[in-house]
């Protein structure tokens, strides 16, 4: 039986990935600083601890894994990574985790290791026009990410690729573009746009008002979690090292996203635009390279994923209001 390790298994993508790997027959060890917030992923073993701590990492990577997925990071949505207030933590915490895990993967001869980078590594100067952002993999340099989160990801991509060049570690580096779905952070300050907008709409009655940061004309593309898992697994099974985008090419403005969610919720609400952290003006995945190398592209429209995400967040909102 193949053995996999998921670092960050208590998180959104990690929890779903554990389920996927189990359904494919892997033996799975998960590791995270916290248990999963919303479900009990079916891992065979879960180690609770701090991956910044080398001693803990040595317990987590103590054998040769067939596949390691390094997803653990200090991360959040715009309200966490673009305010500047968490920059030192984001850089320090995530860099330490990556330094620890990649080195142990090399020492214990992991057969393959996946690293989740981000679209946030792309230079701000290519993402000023909301209708025409450029995010092809070869546009990453000269580097000018708009957040320290992006700079750390860029450093760590290069770290993983250095282990490939110098030690032959078989790495896969993917740049995720806004992954969303049920069982992701939906409140508390670390949530991302789709979850935040679903929550805001779920919390109000028809014709009431919700707030959106900025003018809402900023654009993004959002990828549903199941599609993301398909992309990760196909990429892992390919012989391509990356870096490669894993995202959707269906670009919408945040105002359009809110309209879609209102339609799904069956309620029309008013939008009040307020100042707030937004990130770049436009961003969309460019899937040419992943399609060429891995033959993967998303298969479903954004609205499909929003439907199940809204349903799940609406349930969470209802449960909380019952408790209060
Ligand atoms: P998440 O925050 O739900 O998961 C990250 C997990 O890492 C959390 O469970 C957290 O507890 C864990 N973690 C953080 N610090 C740790 C530490 N010191 N020790 C042990 N565990 C620690 O985020 P996610 O959305 O599941 O993202 C997974 C990965 O994908 C991250 O590396 C993230 O940067 C990357 N990514 C995600 C998106 C997205 O849209 N969700 C986009 C780009 C990149």
């Amino acid at each position: 039986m193949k053995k996999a390790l998921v670092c960050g298994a208590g998180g959104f993508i990690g929890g779903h990935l554990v389920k996927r790997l189990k359904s494919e027959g892997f033996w799975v060890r998960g590791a995270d600083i916290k248990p999963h917030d919303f479900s009990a992923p079916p891992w065979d073993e879960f180690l609770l601890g701090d991956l910044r701590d080398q001693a803990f990492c040595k317990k987590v990577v103590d054998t040769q894994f067939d596949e390691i997925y390094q997803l653990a990071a200090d991360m959040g949505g715009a309200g966490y990574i673009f305010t500047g207030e968490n920059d030192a933590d984001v850089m320090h915490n995530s860099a330490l985790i990556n330094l620890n895990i990649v080195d142990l993967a090399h020492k214990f001869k992991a057969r393959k290791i996946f690293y989740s980078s981000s679209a946030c590594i792309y230079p701000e100067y290519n993402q000023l026009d909301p209708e025409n952002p450029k995010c092809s993999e070869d546009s990453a340099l000269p580097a000018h990410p708009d957040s320290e989160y992006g700079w750390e990801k860029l450093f760590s991509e290069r770290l993983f690729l250095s282990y490939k060049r110098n030690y032959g570690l078989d790495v896969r580096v993917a740049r995720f573009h806004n992954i969303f779905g049920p069982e992701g952070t939906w409140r508390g300050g670390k949530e991302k746009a789709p979850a935040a907008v679903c929550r805001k709409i779920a919390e109000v009655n028809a014709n009431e008002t919700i707030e959106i940061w900025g003018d809402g004309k900023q654009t993004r593309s959002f990828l549903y979690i199941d599609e993301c898992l398909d992309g990760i697994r196909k990429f892992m099974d390919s012989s391509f090292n990356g870096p490669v985008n894993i995202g959707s090419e269906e670009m919408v403005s945040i105002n359009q996203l809110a309209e879609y969610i209102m339609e799904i919720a069956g309620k029309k609400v008013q939008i009040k635009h307020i100042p707030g952290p937004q990130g770049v003006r436009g961003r969309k995945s460019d899937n040419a390279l992943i399609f060429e190398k891995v033959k993967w592209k998303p298969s479903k429209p954004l609205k499909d994923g929003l439907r199940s995400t809204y349903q799940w967040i609406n349930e969470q909102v209802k449960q909380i209001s019952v408790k209060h």
Side-chain angles (χ1 to χ4, degrees):
M1 193 185 245
K2 278 193 174 180
K3 268 192 301 195
L5 166 66
V6 179
C7 299
F12 165 52
I13 301 172
H16 283 283
L17 181 61
V18 169
K19 271 183 238 165
R20 171 66 64 100
L21 291 170
K22 283 304 300 170
S23 74
E24 291 182 23
F26 281 80
W27 181 94
V28 181
R29 174 181 290 170
D32 203 296
I33 200 166
K34 63 163 184 64
H36 199 280
D37 291 327
F38 309 109
S39 68
W43 42 53
D44 294 279
E45 198 173 89
F46 178 68
L47 303 190
L48 184 69
D50 189 341
L51 293 167
R52 290 170 301 183
D53 173 8
Q54 270 190 350
F56 175 65
C57 288
K58 283 181 183 162
K59 292 181 191 153
V60 171
V61 189
D62 62 350
T63 184
Q64 182 183 43
F65 282 94
D66 294 289
E67 300 192 1
I68 298 182
Y69 294 85
Q70 195 332 65
L71 307 177
D74 192 357
M75 72 94 76
Y80 188 71
I81 58 176
F82 297 127
T83 59
E85 285 161 19
N86 307 300
D87 287 350
D89 282 349
V90 164
M91 295 198 87
H92 175 263
N93 296 342
S94 297
L96 271 185
I97 297 171
N98 288 318
L99 287 161
N100 285 340
I101 296 298
V102 76
D103 195 54
L104 284 162
H106 154 57
K107 294 207 167 109
F108 281 89
K109 299 187 169 31
R111 293 209 165 84
K112 276 182 206 171
I113 182 164
F114 176 94
Y115 173 58
S116 53
S117 180
S118 165
C120 288
I121 64 99
Y122 287 113
E124 188 175 18
Y125 57 78
N126 279 334
Q127 300 172 87
L128 299 174
D129 175 0
E131 296 309 318
N132 221 358
K134 182 173 179 189
C135 291
S136 54
E137 288 81 352
D138 60 1
S139 69
L141 299 177
H144 192 15
D146 70 335
S147 66
E148 301 309 323
Y149 170 77
W151 279 104
E152 189 283 325
K153 288 287 190 198
L154 203 51
F155 161 77
S156 290
E157 281 192 3
R158 298 183 74 94
L159 171 72
F160 276 74
L161 292 166
S162 301
Y163 271 76
K164 153 96 190 129
R165 279 197 312 280
N166 294 165
Y167 299 125
L169 186 65
D170 196 6
V171 302
R172 299 286 179 281
V173 177
R175 296 172 179 160
F176 291 156
H177 288 243
N178 292 305
I179 315 304
F180 75 100
E183 298 181 4
T185 307
W186 60 281
R187 61 176 184 151
K190 283 192 164 188
E191 64 279 18
K192 304 180 124 208
V197 179
C198 283
R199 186 200 67 232
K200 288 175 187 187
I201 293 178
E203 281 172 345
V204 298
N205 296 315
N207 298 319
E208 288 184 351
T209 302
I210 64 162
E211 291 179 341
I212 283 195
W213 290 340
D215 60 9
K217 293 181 182 153
Q218 62 273 33
T219 55
R220 290 293 183 276
S221 69
F222 300 98
L223 183 71
Y224 189 59
I225 181 67
D226 290 357
E227 307 257 31
C228 173
L229 296 174
D230 292 342
I232 295 174
R233 294 292 301 122
K234 277 203 163 170
F235 178 37
M236 202 62 169
D237 285 344
S238 77
S239 57
F240 186 51
N241 298 111
V244 75
N245 292 327
I246 294 188
S248 160
E249 290 188 331
E250 183 182 349
M251 189 169 76
V252 290
S253 68
I254 301 301
N255 287 335
Q256 275 169 317
L257 177 75
E259 289 294 332
Y260 284 177
I261 298 171
M262 285 182 223
E263 204 182 300
I264 289 165
K267 55 171 121 145
K268 182 82 188 154
V269 306
Q270 307 304 315
I271 294 179
K272 182 179 172 197
H273 294 106
I274 58 161
Q278 296 168 52
V280 293
R281 281 303 282 165
R283 173 171 294 154
K284 171 170 84 104
S285 185
D286 179 329
N287 291 345
L289 185 66
I290 193 161
F291 190 69
E292 179 196 326
K293 301 282 186 189
V294 181
K295 296 283 171 283
W296 172 84
K297 64 176 176 189
S299 61
K300 294 199 182 107
L302 170 63
K303 274 188 189 170
D304 280 17
L306 285 176
R307 219 164 270 127
S308 47
T309 307
Y310 180 78
Q311 210 171 21
W312 182 79
I313 291 177
N314 195 31
E315 276 306 310
Q316 307 302 306
V317 169
K318 276 195 216 150
Q319 280 173 21
I320 288 201
S321 59
V322 167
K323 276 187 204 152
H324 291 122

